[in-house]
Amino acid sequence: MPELPEVETIRRDLEAEVVGRTITSVSTDWPKTVADPPFELFEGLLPGKKIKAIKRRAKNLIIELDGQYLLIHFKMTGHMIVADASKLHKDHWDEADSSSNLADRVNQFIHLVFYLDDGRVMALSDLRKFARVRLFAKEQLDEHLSGLGPEPLEAGFTFKVFKEQLAGKKGAIKKILLEQDVISGIGNIYADEILFESRIAPQRLVPDLKENELKAIYDNIRKVLAKAVKLRGTSTSDFRDASGAKGEFTEVRKVYRRTGEPCPNNCGGLITRMKIAGRSSHYCPNCQK
DNA sequence: TGCAGTGTTGCTTC
DNA sequence: CGAAGCAACACTGC
């Protein structure tokens, strides 16, 4: 789930908690988590590396080490936990926590652990095991990120840039908002929320959108994402911040996963779900035209 | 019980 | 070229 607001929440937490620490060792129960280099090499390269900074580009978290960069893409269910090492058992991934709430049983889904020099760990929890970690030199990192579209919350993302990015696009606006080379960082939750706030139906084709409609979408991309960052993300499923807390956008989201509920605009319509480009889209057929 | 559905992305196929 | 399907996994909910 981690989209821009969730990855940014993780980034801020890690920046506060682990910058300046040195990695003492690494451990895994799912070596495929490390895509490059192979884990046998990876685990030998990291001990002794100091964490210099924590950055984010699109939905990627970037941990800057001495001259190298750890890039983590969380895909569907990945997130980072910082805790005292004593909270992890030696065989922590074989131990089920007592909580009945699946997503709170963090230990069970930890697949990669960075032990730190202050007795804590920085751990990747990932129920579905789709997350991937890569270790890069600067040039490789830049190359890896080179195809991404603009960061929607940065000053450079103007209405003019937005329209340039949409030039030549022919598909449904919902589908285009999810394309990371058009705008980076938006996923299924926030695409639905942005279109609801903009009163635009998700299946509307980009070439048919009028200037004022494009402006509404542009404004709401920034408003919705900024609000979600402020509220530390959405936890309709497993997302947790580095301390294990849920994101508060979950409570204020208006359409995502609210199929059948009354429209929050009190228009009398019901939130409807439809598939667009293979993805669930939630919207109010009454308000969104 | 079984199976469709789930936040992402990239690869394959047509 | 684009669009669609699917795979990578594990769990939820109908």
Side-chain angles (χ1 to χ4, degrees), chain A residues 17-23 49-52 65 116-120:
Chain A
E17 296 293 334
V18 304
V19 168
R21 301 270 57 84
T22 295
I23 296 168
K49 296 279 185 191
K50 186 172 177 177
I51 298 169
K52 298 284 196 183
L65 306 172
L116 305 177
D117 62 351
D118 62 354
R120 292 188 300 167

Side-chain angles (χ1 to χ4, degrees), chain A residues 21 37-38 81 97 102 149 162 207 212 261 275:
Chain A
R21 301 270 57 84
I81 292 288
D97 290 345
L102 173 78
F162 175 59
N212 66 318
E261 294 183 28
K275 282 265 182 190

